[in-house]
């Protein structure tokens, strides 16, 4: 959606302006479903809004894939957009994050 694209653009701008900050793009719905265990695995809690355990696990997997290069010492990965895993905007899950990383581990 236009609103989520604008929200991601604001977070991307923050990343570009800050030291040791990694922008983690919104994952695709198919990537989230795959990380949650495959098609048909529910990722939303009973309230219909928040992730359930599988949803949080899939989101954690997505974040880990995007920050691991930084944590493992690939300094060139700082403030580069992570792998979006393909798919169109309409397929993206409604989640993205800016993750602050202290590359020195302190």
């Amino acid at each position: 959606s236009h609103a989520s694209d604008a929200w991601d653009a604001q977070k991307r701008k923050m990343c570009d302006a800050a030291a040791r900050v990694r922008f983690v793009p919104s994952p695709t719905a198919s990537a989230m479903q795959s990380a949650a265990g495959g098609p048909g695995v529910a990722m939303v809690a009973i309230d219909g809004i928040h992730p359930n355990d599988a949803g949080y696990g899939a989101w954690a997997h997505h974040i880990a894939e995007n920050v691991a290069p930084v944590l493992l010492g690939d300094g060139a990965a700082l403030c580069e957009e992570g792998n979006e895993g393909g798919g169109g905007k309409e397929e993206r899950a409604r989640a993205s994050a800016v993750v602050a990383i202290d590359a020195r581990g302190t």
Side-chain angles (χ1 to χ4, degrees):
S1 79
H2 180 68
S4 65
D5 289 344
W7 180 236
D8 276 355
Q10 287 179 330
K11 292 181 282 184
R12 172 49 119 167
K13 186 176 178 180
M14 181 185 140
C15 176
D16 290 344
R20 296 191 311 266
V21 175
R22 169 82 176 175
F23 176 75
V24 177
S26 298
T28 62
S30 62
M32 288 290 285
Q33 196 67 60
S34 177
V41 175
M43 294 186 291
V44 179
I46 197 164
D47 67 6
I49 298 169
H50 298 93
N52 61 15
D53 288 347
Y56 278 119
W59 183 230
H61 178 80
H62 174 71
I63 292 171
E65 282 185 329
N66 281 273
V67 300
V70 177
L71 295 174
L72 296 173
D74 181 4
L78 286 171
C79 283
E80 291 176 0
E81 192 163 335
N83 180 6
E84 293 186 19
K89 291 178 185 177
E90 58 278 346
E91 188 180 47
R92 291 185 187 172
R94 292 182 178 214
S96 64
V98 175
V99 180
I101 303 295
D102 184 332
R104 297 171 305 190
T106 59

